[in-house]
């Protein structure tokens, strides 16, 4: 006799849950911080070493020839970070998108003064060293959340409506074998 089929795994929809929430967050911040003026982007999850996320203008094209920018977030960094910190990375990349369409982007990965000024106006303090007083421009620039600033307030409002990053990488189990055949013990 066959055991009854466990349908619980079939009810999980991690792709939909993840991307619907990221789209919800994008729309929330677009409306609240950018006056709803940013075009939608294709939000992707990409594991790029040493980065929380990145922006790429006109990275995608559909069958009709229309283009979409990419905002990539690194899911390998989600487990150690709060939802607010992950959302701050989304907005950091949205500032790059804003600058791509409305301003004068720096060359390559360079975070220029225009970008830094927009970040500060939104309540994200640029820093190249992760601390107050760090350089605000350069190749590798992160940010700090300004307490009670526009981003902080907008993020609190979104999170207050039970928003969360639902899916995060599980910690590696001790003694498991990785794809390269080495134990993680």
């Amino acid at each position: 006799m066959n055991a009854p089929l466990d349908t619980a795994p079939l009810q999980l929809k991690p792709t939909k849950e993840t991307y619907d929430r990221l789209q919800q967050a994008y729309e929330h911040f677009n409306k609240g911080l950018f006056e709803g003026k940013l075009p939608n982007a294709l939000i992707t999850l990409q594991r790029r070493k040493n980065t929380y996320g990145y922006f790429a203008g006109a990275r995608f094209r559909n069958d009709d020839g229309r283009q979409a920018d990419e905002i990539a977030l690194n899911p390998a960094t989600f487990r150690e970070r709060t939802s607010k910190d992950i959302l701050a990375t989304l907005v950091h990349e949205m500032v790059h998108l804003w600058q791509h369409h409305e301003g004068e982007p720096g060359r390559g990965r360079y975070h220029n003064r225009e970008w830094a000024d927009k970040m500060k106006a939104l309540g994200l303090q640029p820093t190249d060293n992760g601390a107050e007083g760090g350089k605000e421009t350069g190749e590798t620039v992160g940010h700090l959340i300004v307490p009670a600033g526009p981003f902080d307030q907008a993020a609190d409002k979104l999170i207050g409506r039970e928003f969360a990053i639902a899916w995060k990488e599980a910690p590696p189990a001790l003694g498991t074998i990785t794809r390269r055949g080495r134990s993680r013990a």
Side-chain angles (χ1 to χ4, degrees), residues 153-184:
Q153 292 179 33
D156 283 345
K157 186 175 179 181
L158 180 63
I159 292 167
R161 290 186 288 189
E162 300 184 14
F163 177 90
I165 304 295
W167 291 90
K168 298 180 179 182
E169 279 191 7
L174 290 178
T176 59
I177 303 297
T178 65
R179 284 189 284 186
R180 293 190 180 103
R182 292 185 295 233
S183 175
R184 289 190 179 222

Side-chain angles (χ1 to χ4, degrees), residues 4-15 17 167:
L5 178 64
D6 180 9
T7 61
L10 300 175
Q11 304 306 313
L12 291 176
K13 296 185 178 182
T15 300
E17 291 172 16
W167 291 90

Side-chain angles (χ1 to χ4, degrees), residues 43-57:
I43 300 171
T44 64
L45 298 178
Q46 304 286 340
R47 285 178 177 78
R48 183 180 279 185
K49 285 185 178 184
N50 302 318
T51 186
Y52 290 138
Y54 63 86
F55 167 78

